[in-house]
Amino acid sequence: MSSKLPPGKQKPTSPFRKRGSLQYTASADLRGGRHLLTSQYSLPGIPVSKHGPIDLRTSMDGKYKEIAEELFSRSLAESEMRSAPYEFPEDSPIEQLEERRQRLERQISQDVKFEPDILLRAKQEFMKTDSATDLEYLKEQNQVPTDMYPERELIPEREYQRVTISGEEKCGVPFTDLLDAAKCVVKALFIREKYMALSLQSFCRTTARYLQELGDRPLDLNMYEEVPETAVTADATVHPPVSETHPYEGLDPVSLLPDMGYSCKMMDGVVHVYTHKSNMEKATELDLPYPDLQEYIADMNVMMALIINGPVKSFCYRRLQYLSSKFQMHILLNEMKELAAQKKVPHRDFYNIRKVDTHIHASSCMNQKHLLRFIKRAMKKYPKEIVHVEKGREQTLMEVFESMNLTAFDLSVDTLDMHADRNTFHRFDKFNAKYNPIGESILREIFIKTDNHIEGKYFGHIIKEVMEDLEESKYQNVELRLSIYGRSRDEWDKLAQWAVKHQVYSDNVRWLVQVPRLFDVYHTKKQLCNFQEMLENIFLPLFEVTINPRSHPELHLFLQHVVGFDSVDDESKPEQHIFNLDSPLPANWIEEDNPPYSYYLYYMYVNMTVLNHLRRRRNFNTFVLRPHCGEAGPIHHLVSGFMLSENICHGLLLRKAPVLQYLYYLAQIGIAMSPLSNNSLFLSYHRNPLPEYLSRGLMVSLSTDDPLQFHFTKEPLMEEYSIATQVWKLSSCDMCELARNSVLMSGFSHKVKSYWLGPSYIKEGPEGNDIRRTNVPDIRVAYRFETMCEELNLITQAVRSEELETIEEEGSLCMSAVPSEQ
């Protein structure tokens, strides 16, 4: 693809062409990270000496508010956001060279059984078929002086075919458009980095390194790396040590940390913490940072303007198409090598690598048959137990079923009628009704609620049975969602008492707390006066238990196993308000209409941020925000998710927003996708963008959402993987990569992940991969890392090139001014 000029004729000089090359020739700088621009480079983590902050001003500056409000208004008027030219075509399967591939597979599988030297000879024979360029590559590698790039260690050579692009203007858009797009992308990444750092959530380390060179302040890269709790050796077992005592046993409030003596009060929707309880006049407010409303609205307007900018759209669309094509080429050239690498690993395969169900609701984590058997067992075992009180009259379990004219023998899966069907498509109301066994809300309250007359006894038992199945499977883990509604202040205590009393705990399970966006329902029922009352019910108990763990001992124990917050409800419901500086504050929100999605998310984020800083002071675990986002509704939900959330669930609408999809890729934001759930509610299975996201390198994982409604087998997560593999023809390497992603984006501790993925898993690129634990070949991890560095290089080089040109122009002006003065 590179063009040659006649001898003696020089190519026109272009500062960007020299610095922004995407070639992966023998030089190790791109494979290890970034391309050098000038001699003013430094070691990673040390600020680069520059002439000043990078100028990120674009042609849209000053118009952000108008553009954002126009876009918000358009999203209110339209039921669905249209984005016609940016629907990406589906990929067709690669069906070539089958005979040769089968022959090579047989040869490798036979030779694996013999000595390593025989295996080496077989590999050499295999390499002869398609690695002529590799030999040239190795020769050139040996000729490159290693002292040219002292700031980065050379990583070991990975034997696989790399795709290179040569020539000028490799991004396919004019340089001026590239410069504008690069500034916009960098500006968006800086916005996300700011909000992640402020809330103590994680940010992609590779992206942070590149932003380090462009920022006017050094980024604290160490804050994104959790301090190892204990050293895990490379040869350690893949199973973390199991505690001999139950974490909820032997609860002694006296042994908990003492009261800090602080007080807390919510003002304008945000909790403020003070140093004294009794004398508020002498009390001083603790410095617990959070972004104020004005700052958030301004950043939101910037983001809204970026995603509809024409040149930025074109640039991001082209880069996404390039990433898809490059991955298809990578598979064509390296699929057999990835398979050979997996076959060389003893014992490990897809079945015995760690997988985390990153999006699953506790009230529907069992399948229909499991719930049916449990209900029948409860009817036989506890027929006389009082389970419900109706208008002051107590009812036993048997009486409840007699009132429905049902016996245990009558019950069947069809009678329960809890499975989603074709009638639930785009009907979230009908889907919610499926949570009621036999269509009776009283049975939902008895069997799958934590707060009822029997204190959640049956629900605790069935959750523990699900946990036993997970422990038996050994390699499957889940992050269950439990609900806090915000209707009363004692909801947290009741939830924690349910978990501790029934000892609902497993090493395979972590909890997330979901907050349904149902303020309008509670306000209509006179259960809440204003939105701030709902926020107080959700967050004040958490501040109280952090300040004084002895005040809520069960809650303190329970929160040690909670990893974050989720925001749930039907995203397709129309929003009547635009969130801006004119919106009512939470204390003044007394309207019948529900606050918009971004309003909920902002106030959850700011209170979680203040809480995290307070908990960090006490060395308690902190929380992350992982909402349902982009399943349906307007596109600005994904903008709020990009700014405030560590991970999101669903993300379907990214397929209609190329700018956001590219930003989610560069920031490596985790997306927990549930194709079977989407197939019943919002998007047919064959149209699901998961394989497209995976090929482009987005951080996606498979999850089940609601096994009770969508799955049939005892292992719903394996069912999800199985169907995806069959429909989309995923390879073993693809499946293992999805499983590895699920562990990386999960809320399990650093220590646990070190056992599951290897002690170096936080390192970038193939150095952080241990194929003996993940079964993901280093070839795949190296490809992902190098492609990511290539994209970040393209953007940062464009921004830096303009800075260097500006410096050169200023220098030439100064030089011309000196002689004239003389």
Side-chain angles (χ1 to χ4, degrees), residues 763-776:
K763 292 184 178 179
E764 301 172 48
E767 291 181 0
N769 183 51
D770 185 351
I771 191 173
R772 297 172 302 170
R773 299 169 189 264
T774 65
N775 205 37
V776 179

Side-chain angles (χ1 to χ4, degrees), residues 419-421 424-425 431 631 650 652 673-686 688 690 702-707 709-713 715-724 727-728:
H419 215 275
D421 52 31
T424 59
F425 196 71
F431 169 72
E631 185 180 18
H650 295 300
L652 296 179
M673 304 194 71
S674 310
L676 286 177
S677 167
N678 304 144
N679 183 62
S680 294
L681 287 172
F682 290 107
L683 191 70
S684 298
Y685 201 97
H686 72 280
N688 195 285
L690 186 144
L702 272 172
S703 58
T704 57
D705 197 355
D706 297 287
Q709 275 79 29
F710 306 122
H711 299 78
F712 291 89
T713 64
E715 296 184 326
L717 185 59
M718 294 299 287
E719 186 179 342
E720 196 81 49
Y721 274 95
S722 171
I723 294 173
V727 172
W728 293 319

Side-chain angles (χ1 to χ4, degrees), residues 91 324 327 358 650-652 654-655 661 671-676 678 683-703 720-721 723-725 728 730 734-735 737-738 741 745 784:
D91 297 322
S324 293
F327 181 73
T358 47
H650 295 300
L652 296 179
L654 286 175
R655 74 190 194 279
Q661 189 180 146
I671 307 172
M673 304 194 71
S674 310
L676 286 177
N678 304 144
L683 191 70
S684 298
Y685 201 97
H686 72 280
R687 294 182 59 205
N688 195 285
L690 186 144
E692 201 169 61
Y693 293 175
L694 178 64
S695 68
R696 290 170 177 165
L698 277 77
M699 176 69 76
V700 293
S701 69
L702 272 172
S703 58
E720 196 81 49
Y721 274 95
I723 294 173
T725 303
W728 293 319
L730 301 181
D734 296 332
M735 298 163 71
E737 185 181 12
L738 286 169
N741 287 349
M745 73 170 70
R784 295 294 190 198

Side-chain angles (χ1 to χ4, degrees), residues 24 27-36 151-153 155 206 209-210 213 764 785-794 796-797:
Y24 277 96
S27 46
D29 56 334
L30 287 184
R31 200 161 311 118
R34 59 192 179 278
H35 216 64
L36 296 178
E151 92 287 1
R152 186 73 46 81
E153 288 186 11
I155 64 172
T206 306
R209 276 196 299 103
Y210 280 86
E213 295 182 348
E764 301 172 48
F785 177 62
E786 292 173 13
T787 304
M788 178 87 168
C789 291
E790 175 185 318
E791 294 300 312
L792 289 167
N793 241 340
L794 175 68
T796 55
Q797 294 293 346

